[in-house]
């Protein structure tokens, strides 16, 4: 693990001819108490230490996926529209997805799909640039319909929390693709609505079974969890964050998906994990789950 602001990981192949790289687009420092929610400090501090302001250092990880001749970027980081004051409070360094792509020699105009797991600032803040234009000129932006509706809803808790202005600018530019539930974007890459963290949170499933595949083709599958499981530290399914809008749903859906991920050996990508990825999940003797060695 290095500390450079922008970094593109090695490509990894998955079933269905899908290639995945982690694009590290900077850092931010969420409040540890909020991030770990119901979990007491003696438990989480076994994995990570808070700074003198009670914050923990987390990555802004995006995924760059290539499949069926298309390029898919998952997440847009914090973008360039935050005020200096907001950046200072949240400890943001970097965070601009276009800058991150250019820094590693990739062209933002080459992106065909942008998947937003949900509309919080650290995932959807880079949908549009300072002038309000979509950062990815040739992309369709994929958002769950429930998430878009929640952003426009009147729930008091969500006031000022969702990137609704950016969503509307993308919609006005004709680049919004609202989806509902499980949808295949291209062969080998699908989004699934998970809810839990937010009403319309979605995860990305990578890799398909290839009954007619050639011997030697990769058969591995992977999942990008979004903030349903932001780091490997939060694999215990009851570890709900204070940022989970629907904690009971989050626990149920985590339990279902983590169980499958462990049983079927899915490789896991985490949006805020500072360590090397992907990793696998394994069951413990006590009936729980943890990061595999
Ligand atoms: Zn997040």
């Amino acid at each position: 693990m290095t500390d450079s602001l922008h970094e593109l990981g090695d490509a990894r192949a998955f079933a269905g001819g899908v290639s995945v790289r982690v694009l590290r687009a900077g850092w931010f420092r969420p409040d540890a108490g909020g991030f770990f929610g119901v979990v007491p400090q003696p438990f989480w501090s076994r994995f990570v230490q808070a700074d003198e302001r009670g914050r923990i250092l987390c990555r802004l990880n995006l995924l760059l996926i290539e499949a069926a001749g298309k390029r898919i970027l998952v997440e847009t980081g914090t973008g360039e529209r935050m005020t200096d004051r907001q950046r200072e409070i949240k400890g943001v360094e970097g965070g601009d997805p276009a800058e991150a792509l250019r820094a590693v020699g990739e062209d933002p105009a080459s992106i065909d799909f942008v998947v937003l797991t949900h509309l919080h600032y650290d995932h959807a803040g880079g949908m549009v640039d300072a002038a309000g234009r979509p950062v990815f000129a040739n992309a369709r932006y994929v958002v769950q319909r429930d998430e878009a509706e929640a952003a426009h809803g009147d729930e008091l808790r969500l006031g000022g929390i969702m990137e609704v202005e950016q969503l509307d600018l993308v919609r006005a530019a004709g680049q919004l693709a609202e989806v509902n539930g499980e949808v295949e974007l291209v062969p080998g890459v699908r989004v699934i609505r998970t809810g839990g963290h937010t009403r319309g949170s979605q995860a990305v499933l990578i890799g398909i079974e290839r009954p007619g595949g050639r011997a030697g083709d990769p058969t591995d599958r992977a999942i990008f969890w979004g903030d349903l499981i932001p780091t490997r530290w939060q694999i215990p399914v009851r570890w709900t964050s204070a940022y989970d809008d629907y904690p009971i749903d989050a626990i149920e859906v985590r339990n279902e998906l983590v169980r499958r991920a462990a049983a079927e050996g899915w490789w896991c990508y985490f949006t805020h994990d500072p360590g090397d990825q992907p990793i696998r999940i394994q069951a413990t003797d006590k009936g729980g789950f943890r990061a595999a060695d």
Side-chain angles (χ1 to χ4, degrees):
M1 176 178 136
T2 65
D3 287 340
S4 58
L5 199 56
H6 301 126
E7 203 180 318
L8 188 60
D10 292 334
R12 193 170 183 115
F14 293 98
V18 184
S19 148
V20 176
R21 288 177 287 178
V22 176
L23 175 62
R24 298 183 174 92
W27 302 90
F28 76 131
R29 292 164 176 79
D31 179 84
F35 198 70
F36 285 105
V38 299
V39 183
Q41 183 173 12
F43 285 23
W44 60 254
S45 62
R46 283 183 289 186
F47 300 116
V48 60
Q49 295 299 316
D51 68 15
E52 70 287 350
R53 290 166 69 176
R55 309 175 304 179
I56 51 173
L57 184 62
C58 285
R59 283 274 192 188
L60 295 163
N61 295 321
L62 324 184
L63 278 197
L64 185 56
I65 304 173
E66 287 164 293
K70 300 290 184 192
R71 310 190 88 206
I72 302 164
L73 184 72
V74 184
E75 312 287 42
T76 66
T78 54
E80 55 176 339
R81 289 164 63 98
M82 291 178 82
T83 64
D84 289 346
R85 175 88 180 119
Q86 287 171 329
R87 289 179 69 88
E88 205 278 319
I89 290 171
K90 309 213 159 160
V92 176
E93 294 169 57
D96 179 350
E99 194 184 320
L101 280 168
R102 286 193 204 100
V104 298
E106 302 289 337
D107 181 2
S110 71
I111 302 297
D112 299 292
F113 293 99
V114 173
V115 174
L116 288 315
T117 61
H118 62 293
L119 295 174
H120 286 164
Y121 80 98
D122 52 320
H123 302 258
M127 297 172 84
V128 304
D129 64 16
R133 290 181 302 252
V135 168
F136 303 94
N138 301 311
R140 305 269 287 158
Y141 287 65
V142 180
V143 177
Q144 288 284 328
R145 183 191 300 164
D146 281 351
E147 189 72 357
E149 284 180 4
H152 273 286
D154 55 6
E155 285 181 55
L156 281 176
R157 170 166 164 109
L158 302 186
I161 297 292
M162 307 288 245
E163 294 290 352
V164 62
E165 186 188 345
Q166 297 208 30
L167 179 76
D168 288 346
L169 287 164
V170 168
R171 194 197 306 269
Q175 290 179 238
L176 185 66
E178 271 185 19
V179 297
N180 190 17
E182 179 167 345
V183 173
E184 185 178 68
L185 298 182
V186 298
V189 182
R190 57 184 60 226
V191 293
I192 55 168
R193 181 192 169 282
T194 63
H197 179 63
T198 59
R199 196 195 300 171
S201 275
Q202 58 186 350
V204 183
L205 293 182
I206 295 155
I208 49 169
E209 297 293 353
R210 292 189 81 193
R214 295 182 301 277
D217 279 354
T219 54
D220 287 346
R221 294 169 173 228
I223 183 168
F224 182 85
W225 294 97
D227 269 350
L228 187 67
I229 307 180
T231 70
R232 74 190 70 194
W233 310 318
Q234 287 133 321
I235 290 171
V237 299
R238 293 186 188 82
W239 282 32
T240 54
S241 159
Y243 308 131
D244 288 340
D245 287 341
Y246 302 92
I248 293 171
D249 294 347
I251 291 170
E252 295 291 340
V253 72
R254 269 201 291 269
N255 188 46
E256 182 193 322
L257 288 172
V258 164
R259 198 167 290 281
R260 280 189 68 192
E264 298 175 23
W266 295 354
W267 290 98
C268 297
Y269 290 97
F270 301 99
T271 187
H272 296 318
D273 197 293
D276 289 332
Q277 308 190 48
I279 63 159
R280 278 173 156 156
I281 290 176
Q282 68 186 48
T284 68
D285 332 334
K286 295 176 186 159
F289 298 94
R290 65 180 184 84
D293 301 322

